[in-house]
Amino acid sequence: MEEKKVMLSGIQPSGDLHLGNYLGAIKNWSARTEEFDCYYFMADMHTITVRQNPADLRRRTLEQLAQYIACGLDPEKNTLFIQSHVHQHAELGWVLNCYTMFGELSRMTQFKDKSSKHKDNINGGLFTYPSLMAADILLYQPDYIPVGEDQKQHCELTRDVAIRFNHIYGDVFKVPEPYIPKAGARIMGLTTPESKMSKSIPEGCVFLMEKPEDIQRKFKRAITDSDTENPVRYDPKEKPGVANLMNIYAAVTGRSFQAIEAEFAGQGYGRFKPAVGDAVVECLRPIREEAQRILSDKAYLESVYKAGAEKASYVANKTLRKVYKKIGFVAK
């Protein structure tokens, strides 16, 4: 039987998962399980480049893991783990720091962006975290890294570092290819339909663990327009708020825009917005209930992240030992 190609993705537990995360990406992840050998990790080491409340970070890390499982990522078929539980990430991160050029790191747009937002805490980790990200990836010798537009630069740097290292020491790292995931629905903010849904604007963001009544309240307050002639029709340029609500409704019900327009023909936003809210509540209900059940079963959750770390460590260690030998470290 042909070996599955390896895919890896790490997500920072820096905030709660929301509807945009789910419909835009996570919903499609479980479908990858059959095609790829997938590693998903909570990138808790990356979060500390910005100051975190320790109790909140612990809570969010476990909540994110529970939500992934509730969204369909079966721990029996995917390797799910917490980054800080696999010490090889930090060790290879330091080695790759020494093979990543200062100029390369200083050109990273995310460093410039975060530096401007956190002027009181421009630390070394904020500057060198792309080397840790390269280590996160290269440890598992993946064939593919799923990348969005905002991560293309990091993917290119990872490839450059791997090629540079291989050029000096021979064939050590597999040079991964970017994988452009199947596009999920592009979900915009309920109060800012011109920009993507973001946890930084909580009033326009629907969180996976949110109470149904809070979700409904947000949809009732969603931005639309003053069109009374033909309110519910798909026109992203003229009616961005309505188009966003139709996108969401289509994504959670499977209905076409044409069917949605027919369903709400002659009806105003007072009927349409609560209907979208109801559909979202019912879509998220099983996820929220399952995530809450998993979080209440601490022994199960612990068994998942311990088994995941054990498998990840085994694979990561093979790569790290090879690297240490190549660069001249004495074997233990």
Side-chain angles (χ1 to χ4, degrees):
M1 190 175 138
E2 195 183 340
E3 252 187 50
K4 284 182 177 179
K5 299 279 190 188
V6 176
M7 186 179 287
L8 173 131
S9 189
I11 296 90
Q12 289 192 38
S14 54
D16 299 319
L17 295 175
H18 57 71
L19 186 67
N21 300 140
Y22 177 64
L23 297 177
I26 301 168
K27 192 178 175 189
N28 292 329
W29 286 359
S30 53
R32 290 184 198 160
T33 303
E34 304 310 319
E35 192 180 348
F36 299 102
D37 181 11
C38 295
Y39 291 78
Y40 294 106
F41 63 93
M42 318 304 122
D44 56 343
M45 291 169 73
H46 283 286
T47 63
I48 64 168
T49 58
V50 176
R51 294 286 172 264
Q52 301 289 332
N53 176 299
D56 285 347
L57 179 57
R58 274 190 286 274
R59 173 186 59 79
R60 284 199 309 264
T61 302
L62 294 175
E63 280 184 1
Q64 187 167 302
L65 178 57
Q67 286 172 58
Y68 280 168
I69 300 167
C71 288
L73 289 181
D74 184 347
E76 298 292 321
K77 296 178 179 177
N78 300 274
T79 305
L80 308 176
F81 65 98
I82 297 168
Q83 182 188 25
S84 61
H85 289 184
V86 182
H87 60 82
Q88 290 88 349
H89 285 250
E91 292 183 50
L92 185 60
W94 168 251
V95 172
L96 295 187
N97 257 338
C98 303
Y99 292 83
T100 310
M101 299 302 122
F102 187 89
E104 290 172 320
L105 293 171
S106 58
R107 285 193 292 274
M108 289 285 136
T109 53
Q110 285 204 11
F111 171 68
K112 293 172 189 170
D113 180 45
K114 285 191 176 180
S115 301
S116 66
K117 288 178 183 168
H118 303 279
K119 286 191 167 70
D120 57 336
N121 183 27
I122 304 174
N123 57 70
L126 195 62
F127 186 67
T128 63
Y129 84 92
S131 300
L132 176 59
M133 194 178 278
D136 297 335
I137 294 164
L138 298 175
L139 274 173
Y140 301 94
Q141 307 284 4
D143 299 274
Y144 297 108
I145 332 164
V147 284
E149 282 300 317
D150 56 338
Q151 294 297 342
K152 271 187 178 166
Q153 208 182 13
H154 292 126
C155 179
E156 285 160 12
L157 179 69
T158 298
R159 287 169 54 82
D160 290 345
V161 170
I163 290 165
R164 179 177 301 135
F165 197 93
N166 288 350
H167 183 69
I168 301 168
Y169 298 108
D171 191 16
V172 179
F173 296 122
K174 185 178 281 188
V175 180
E177 294 292 331
Y179 173 86
I180 309 301
K182 192 174 88 176
R186 187 172 161 80
I187 305 301
M188 315 306 267
L190 299 184
T191 54
T192 53
E194 65 288 341
S195 56
K196 276 171 74 173
M197 186 174 280
S198 166
K199 59 181 179 275
S200 62
I201 308 173
E203 61 275 14
C205 184
V206 175
F207 297 98
L208 299 195
M209 301 297 280
E210 210 159 357
K211 291 175 184 168
E213 58 270 26
D214 292 336
I215 294 174
Q216 261 303 1
R217 181 176 48 77
K218 286 180 178 179
F219 274 99
K220 283 175 183 169
R221 293 179 179 175
I223 297 246
T224 47
D225 52 44
S226 55
D227 182 0
T228 52
E229 290 291 311
N230 189 7
V232 183
R233 61 186 168 84
Y234 192 73
D235 187 342
K237 277 192 177 170
E238 295 294 317
K239 300 166 73 68
V242 177
N244 184 41
L245 290 175
M246 288 179 74
N247 250 329
I248 293 169
Y249 196 61
V252 299
T253 63
R255 290 177 203 171
S256 66
F257 295 140
Q258 204 175 356
I260 296 167
E261 286 177 8
E263 184 183 348
F264 295 97
Q267 299 182 52
Y269 300 134
R271 166 86 179 77
F272 176 55
K273 292 200 283 186
V276 181
D278 283 340
V280 169
V281 164
E282 290 315 309
C283 169
L284 297 184
R285 188 188 303 280
I287 294 170
R288 190 183 73 254
E289 289 175 355
E290 178 64 0
Q292 285 169 339
R293 187 194 66 74
I294 292 167
L295 282 165
S296 70
D297 189 348
K298 288 191 168 53
Y300 168 71
L301 202 56
E302 190 176 322
S303 73
V304 168
Y305 66 68
K306 281 190 170 175
E310 195 176 329
K311 184 186 170 189
S313 291
Y314 176 76
V315 175
N317 204 47
K318 285 202 285 191
T319 300
L320 189 68
R321 276 170 55 200
K322 195 173 180 182
V323 167
Y324 276 9
K325 185 179 178 184
K326 289 286 188 183
I327 62 178
F329 289 172
V330 176
K332 285 183 187 175

